[in-house]
Every structure is written in structure tokens, then in C-alpha cells.
Amino acid sequence: MEEIIVNLHMHTHYSDGSGSHKEIALAAIECGLDAVIVTDHNVLVQGFEGYIKNGANRVLMLIGEEVHDQDRDPQKNHLLVFGAKEEMATFADDPQSLIKNVGESGGLSFIAHPTELAAPAFNETDISWEDWSVDNYTGIELWNGLSELKTLIPTKLHGVFYSLFPAFVAHRPLTRTLQKWDELLKQRRVVAVGGSDAHAFRMRLGPLSRIVYPYNFHFRAINTHIFIPNPLTRDLNTDKQMIYEALAGGHCFIGYDLPLSTRGFRFTVHGGEAAGIMGDEIHSQGAVTLQAYLPSFAEMRLIKNGKVIRTVKRTQALTYITREPGVYRVEAYRNYLGRKRGWVFSNPIYVR
Ligand SMILES: [Zn+2]
Ligand SMILES: [Zn+2]
């Protein structure tokens, strides 16, 4: 298994972002990412997929889109679409039909910012996901950089502070979204990803103009670490397929890499002849052993069916032996800039 670092969910000047695909690629290379997935609003932009080089370094750029019904008021139900073969924005008016068409087109669908509250000081309305009657989507965007920011800016002054010191923004996925995920996991598999929702906003104040939350800030922050079976080949189609298959299988975790890189986190299971990683299912005919490992010391929590069943402070490793079926996942927390902050959120291992 090979761990790659991917930043997903971002906007260019084809929708409401300020930058170009080229600028995104250069920022991604600067930050050491393996791949980015660009998702402009309601347009599958053609012509930018592939490896982009800068000197000896390169990054894989994949293009998806973020689809929502622009006639709906308020404009809720945003869906991230990856790997669909054609434009999906035409199906935007009905979320379930959109999800169905994405699947039929070979794509993956993730509910974007499931909780995204209003920020009245910035005239931003609540654009949470509303239609929870839908099914057959791949997963949800558990941690979105922008949703969290919106909970922190009751006034314009707060907005100015966080734009100058963006490292103070991220704490953890919103509680309502985490609870929703645990609730959904009781019924079905739901893959969690972390998204930056990078726009590189251009803020104007009188004659001054400044880019806030630039791409190269986001690319060092909330990333999705994906486990692919073989190293990247540098062939677009081979690598794209490997990445999307791994995402569909939930072989990934969300790492908040700004305090310290989360590269090296592992969460595995073995029992009898069987073994697996995040996203896998294992049958508990006998006892199974769950093992989590962190690249550095942190507080680690093991969660079963939405409840914390073990917390270990300042540890790098956690082992848990059980015969009980359940949905098991791991969270890790570290102190950073004076606060305890989420560091790692694993996808579950399903013990059946
Ligand atoms: Zn959105
Ligand atoms: Zn977005």
C-alpha cells in the first residue's frame, strides 16, 4: 500500500475562485501534494487533467465539479462529483437523480459541507445539505475548511483576524456533521473525505487588494490521505483510476497537516487469515485485532458505532482486541496554537 496526499474541493476563476489551474498546480507542487481534485461550481472544465511539472517536481491534477441547483433558494445541497465521464450540472435540480446519474457515468459523489451555517456579517446564507432522503452516494465531506470558518466570524473584525491568521481557523469537523456521519454509518458505508473549499478569495478594502486563504495555505492544512495499491505511475488514466477506486473503497483518512504532517498514520485490522485497512470489512468469527499508529504522540480515541470506547492521552499506538461487530474508527487530537485540535480522522473499519 502506498500513501498519497491529496487536496480536494477547490475553485478556480471558472467559477468563484480567483486563481487558474496553473496557479493551483504550482501551489500544490510547492506544498508537496501528490494530487489535487479541482471542483468548480456547475461546470466540468475540460482540458486540464494530467500531470503538471515544475522543474523536477510534478502533481497530478484531476477535474471534478461541485453541483447544485442554482434556481433553488437558498442554494443548498452541494454535491462533489469526481470521475464522472460527462457534465452532471444538468441533473442539479433533483439531488437523487443527480447522484444516480453520477454513478451511471462511473463517478463518485460526496455530499459537500453537510453543515454550512450562515455568516450574516458576510451576507453568507446557510447552505447545508438538506435532502437527507437521498441514498447511493459515495460519502460525505466530513471536514470542510470554509464551513468551520463561517462559525468563527460573527463580525467583520473576526473575519479580518482569521484572514490575517488563517492557522487559527481549523479545530475539528463540525459536531453536527460528525454526529450525522455516525448516524449514517449505522445504516450503510459512508466514506469521509476532507475538503479545503479553497477559493483564494480576493478581498478589497478601499484601494487595497489582497488574496485571503490562498491555495498554498489550504494545501498544507486539511488533506485527504489515500492508500493506493501501487505507487503512482505518472500515467493519467492509470493513476486516476487507482485514486478513485481507493476513495470509493474508503481507503483514506483526513489529516490536518498544518500542526504536523499526518503522513504515516495507519489503522488496520487482522483476525485469523483476514486482514484489512480503513474502508475494509472483516468478519469476526474469532477475535479481531484493531491497531492504530500515529507518526507522532497525540491523544487518540477509538470510536465504535459513534461512541468513544477508548481514549489514550499522549500515545503513538493503540491496540484493541474484540469479538464484537461494529463500525470502528479513530480520531487523534493535538494541541496547536493554544487549543486542542483535530489532527486525524480515519475512515471506519467495518467488523461484521
Ligand atoms: Zn459548496
Ligand atoms: Zn466549494
Side-chain angles (χ1 to χ4, degrees), residues 8 37 39 62 64-65 67 79-85 88 98-99 101-111 136-139 191 193 226 240-250 252:
L8 57 86
I37 310 177
T39 52
L62 298 176
E65 63 181 318
V67 178
L79 191 76
L80 294 171
V81 175
F82 305 149
K85 288 183 193 70
M88 287 290 135
L98 169 62
I99 289 166
N101 279 282
V102 171
E104 284 170 3
S105 179
L108 310 181
S109 49
F110 290 87
I111 288 173
N136 298 319
Y137 51 91
T138 315
V191 178
V193 292
I226 302 178
K240 180 175 165 178
Q241 193 183 344
M242 265 201 300
I243 289 171
Y244 286 153
E245 277 178 7
L247 267 181
C252 55

Side-chain angles (χ1 to χ4, degrees), residues 223-287:
N223 288 310
T224 301
H225 293 234
I226 302 178
F227 295 95
I228 52 176
N230 301 303
L232 292 169
T233 63
R234 300 182 178 180
D235 172 69
L236 165 63
N237 288 320
T238 309
D239 294 348
K240 180 175 165 178
Q241 193 183 344
M242 265 201 300
I243 289 171
Y244 286 153
E245 277 178 7
L247 267 181
H251 306 313
C252 55
F253 69 90
I254 301 163
Y256 179 44
D257 290 316
L258 198 63
L260 185 68
S261 171
T262 59
R263 185 192 280 281
F265 169 73
R266 299 290 182 268
F267 181 38
T268 59
V269 64
H270 62 267
E273 304 278 280
I277 65 165
M278 284 164 266
D280 285 333
E281 291 188 18
I282 190 163
H283 290 269
S284 64
Q285 268 122 15

Side-chain angles (χ1 to χ4, degrees), residues 9 11 41 66 68 78 112-113 116 127 144 197:
H9 187 173
H11 301 274
H41 292 287
E66 183 178 15
H68 75 277
H78 292 202
H113 44 76
E116 176 121 348
I127 48 163
N144 169 298
D197 216 347

